Amino acid sequence: MATSLVRSGFLRSALRGSARGSQVPKRNFASSGHHDDAYETAKWEKITYLGIVSCTGLAVYNLSKGHPHFKEPPAYPYLHIRNKEFPWGPDGLFETKHHEEH
C-alpha cells in the first residue's frame, strides 16, 4: 500500500514535468485574465458618470412635467368623525381648521 502511494506521487510529479518543490505554479485568478486594472477602472468610471447624467436627466424631465391637480373631494359625513377632542385641541396633528371659540 505504501509503495502504491509512493509510486502515485512519483507518477504525479513525473506528469507535471518537475519535482514537487522546485517550481511554484503560477496562480491564475478569474479577474486577472487579459484585462488591465487601469482599463477596467476607467471603463467603470465612464459608465458611472453616464449613469449619473442619464438619471439626472430623467429626474429633471419627470419633475418638470408637473402633476395633475384634482378638485377637492366631497365632504362625506362619515369622514373625520371626532367624538371627543384630542388632548392637544380640537384639530388633529396635521389638520388646521379655524374653529369659532365661544
Side-chain angles (χ1 to χ4, degrees), residues 5 8-10 12-14 16-25:
L5 292 175
S8 65
F10 284 127
R12 271 189 260 141
S13 64
R16 285 187 193 158
S18 65
R20 210 174 239 189
S22 66
Q23 190 180 31
V24 178

Side-chain angles (χ1 to χ4, degrees), residues 46-67:
K46 290 173 188 172
I47 290 171
T48 301
Y49 289 142
L50 180 67
I52 289 171
V53 169
S54 61
C55 288
T56 303
L58 184 64
V60 166
Y61 173 73
N62 283 337
L63 293 174
S64 67
K65 287 193 314 186
H67 59 275

Side-chain angles (χ1 to χ4, degrees), residues 88 91-96:
W88 51 85
D91 297 328
L93 286 177
F94 304 105
E95 299 172 359
T96 54

Side-chain angles (χ1 to χ4, degrees), residues 10-85:
F10 284 127
L11 182 60
R12 271 189 260 141
S13 64
L15 290 176
R16 285 187 193 158
S18 65
R20 210 174 239 189
S22 66
Q23 190 180 31
V24 178
K26 182 180 176 188
R27 295 180 68 180
N28 293 324
F29 295 105
S31 65
S32 66
H34 297 6
H35 298 289
D36 187 24
D37 289 337
Y39 170 77
E40 287 292 318
T41 303
K43 177 181 80 170
W44 283 106
E45 185 178 6
K46 290 173 188 172
I47 290 171
T48 301
Y49 289 142
L50 180 67
I52 289 171
V53 169
S54 61
C55 288
T56 303
L58 184 64
V60 166
Y61 173 73
N62 283 337
L63 293 174
S64 67
K65 287 193 314 186
H67 59 275
H69 292 271
F70 300 105
K71 61 181 183 177
E72 287 290 322
Y76 292 110
Y78 56 83
L79 295 177
H80 297 287
I81 296 174
R82 305 286 187 250
N83 292 329
K84 67 177 192 175
E85 288 188 4

